Amino acid sequence: MKRVEEESKTKGGIIIPDTAKEKPQEGEVIAAGSGTIKDDGTVRPLDVKAGDRILFGKWSGTEVTVDGQELLIMKESDILGIVG
């Protein structure tokens, strides 16, 4: 999952410097696993798929860098909602 960058300017035209910005809590799923293995051994498919835009908690996931790109790895249970 990669974070979706927020606007660097407010609606009123005020420019927000990078040092004042919080990391976005919205992202785009770039890859998802095949599902969760239940106690009986069957697989429950995930509700998210590549391309979904999601909302997640401020402290969710683990940050990793792959080929110079900052990504987050997280469990489906850390996702608060799918926005599109």
Side-chain angles (χ1 to χ4, degrees), residues 4-78:
V4 175
E5 294 300 320
E6 58 187 30
E7 293 292 322
S8 60
K9 192 185 327 182
T10 66
K11 290 181 182 178
I14 298 171
I15 297 174
I16 303 168
D18 289 339
T19 55
K21 289 184 196 175
E22 286 192 24
K23 289 187 176 180
Q25 294 173 343
E26 182 177 336
E28 179 183 344
V29 177
I30 59 170
S34 58
T36 303
I37 299 174
K38 301 190 300 186
D39 291 336
D40 64 4
T42 60
V43 177
R44 182 191 68 78
L46 299 176
D47 292 328
V48 296
K49 62 189 178 310
D52 284 348
R53 289 177 69 93
I54 60 167
L55 299 175
F56 53 90
K58 189 174 205 170
W59 309 110
S60 298
T62 301
E63 293 183 353
V64 296
T65 302
V66 177
D67 295 330
Q69 185 177 20
E70 289 184 22
L71 303 172
L72 281 174
I73 297 174
M74 69 177 58
K75 296 184 276 185
E76 186 180 41
S77 60
D78 289 338

